[in-house]
Amino acid sequence: EADIYQTPRYLVIGTGKKITLECSQTMGHDKMYWYQQDPGMELHLIHYSYGVNSTEKGDLSSESTVSRIRTEHFPLTLESARPSHTSQYLCASSAQGRTGELFFGEGSRLTVL
Amino acid sequence: AQRVTQPEKLLSVFKGAPVELKCNYSYSGSPELFWYVQYSRQRLQLLLRHISRESIKGFTADLNKGETSFHLKKPFAQEEDSAMYYCALASGGYQKVTFGTGTKLQVIP
């Protein structure tokens, strides 16, 4: 079944650790996105990608980085996690020509101690 | 810059009462507007798009370019409508979607 998957769902780590949040989709979508959302707050776009080898920074500045080596995979990496990175990270994808119709994963909730 | 404003953080209505969730936007071009919904313990999902002019789960939304609004309406609220609702704008030519801060709808039995 076509879907978008995020792992891990929950992660608690110490300051200074390197972490990678995985996002994979089997929707066949070209566009993928990472949003950051604090509880009860709005979604902030931090990264997006048009396709393979294409990545752009979003509206909210983030110390994270992303890569898009394969169409279906869009991982997000934090080289050195800090408590300020504690948040929920949502991955989404959309089809070509249907930019506003996003399909979201279940999210990865990161807590940095 | 594009912006989406949802003035209400929380909207409480009684079951059977009409619902209107407000959304205003600012964008210089021709926008595409959407409503997304997140039910408790579920992922965020698309509810409806302005271009399709559809009614989903009894909800409708009309784009008013003069007032730059895209309010979500339902004539009779149901308990299962309780959720978080986000208005979103996709700007043509760009590859990103901007969300509002969201409104929590609470339907009181």
Side-chain angles (χ1 to χ4, degrees):
Chain A
E1 182 181 336
D3 205 346
I4 180 164
Y5 305 93
Q6 288 188 244
T7 57
R9 292 287 314 283
Y10 303 92
L11 179 63
V12 181
I13 60 167
T15 297
K17 299 290 186 184
K18 177 180 179 179
I19 65 111
T20 297
L21 303 180
E22 301 287 351
C23 178
S24 295
Q25 51 98 0
T26 56
M27 316 279 287
H29 289 163
D30 291 320
K31 301 177 193 174
M32 296 188 74
Y33 313 79
W34 277 103
Y35 285 87
Q36 184 175 341
Q37 183 185 32
D38 293 322
M41 304 296 285
E42 65 192 291
L43 287 78
H44 291 286
L45 180 67
I46 52 174
H47 298 284
Y48 60 103
S49 167
Y50 305 146
V52 173
N53 294 325
S54 154
T55 61
E56 301 286 342
K57 289 192 178 295
D59 302 319
L60 181 68
S61 176
S62 174
E63 294 170 344
S64 59
T65 59
V66 292
S67 62
R68 190 90 184 274
I69 298 173
R70 302 197 320 263
T71 300
E72 63 273 18
H73 196 213
F74 192 41
L76 180 146
T77 298
L78 277 165
E79 290 294 332
S80 179
R82 294 205 301 270
S84 60
H85 296 140
T86 295
S87 189
Q88 173 157 259
Y89 295 84
L90 297 174
C91 183
S93 69
S94 67
Q96 193 69 248
R98 304 179 82 88
T99 298
E101 298 178 28
L102 301 180
F103 290 82
F104 281 88
E106 293 183 293
S108 292
R109 188 169 296 280
L110 173 65
T111 301
V112 183
L113 303 176
Chain B
Q2 60 199 62
R3 177 179 289 181
V4 176
T5 303
Q6 293 180 252
E8 302 142 327
K9 274 194 170 292
L10 173 66
L11 180 65
S12 296
V13 301
F14 285 101
K15 178 182 174 181
V19 174
E20 182 177 68
L21 299 168
K22 297 189 187 313
C23 172
N24 289 90
Y25 67 90
S26 63
Y27 179 61
S28 57
S30 182
E32 294 181 50
L33 276 298
F34 304 80
W35 276 99
Y36 282 79
V37 62
Q38 186 168 30
Y39 300 103
S40 178
R41 286 186 285 278
Q42 293 187 28
R43 66 178 76 183
L44 191 59
Q45 58 187 289
L46 178 66
L47 179 62
L48 55 79
R49 311 163 289 173
H50 92 267
I51 57 173
S52 57
R53 302 184 66 81
E54 57 202 343
S55 173
I56 302 293
K57 299 183 179 182
F59 284 98
T60 59
D62 290 319
L63 178 61
N64 186 323
K65 291 187 177 180
E67 296 182 357
T68 60
S69 69
F70 187 57
H71 304 326
L72 182 68
K73 299 177 183 179
K74 184 171 183 177
F76 308 103
Q78 302 299 315
E79 289 180 63
E80 56 265 30
D81 296 329
S82 293
M84 196 74 181
Y85 292 81
Y86 293 90
C87 183
L89 180 154
S91 47
Y94 292 92
Q95 308 295 316
K96 57 182 181 179
V97 179
T98 300
F99 285 81
T101 51
T103 298
K104 182 176 182 178
L105 175 64
Q106 182 180 60
V107 180
I108 304 165

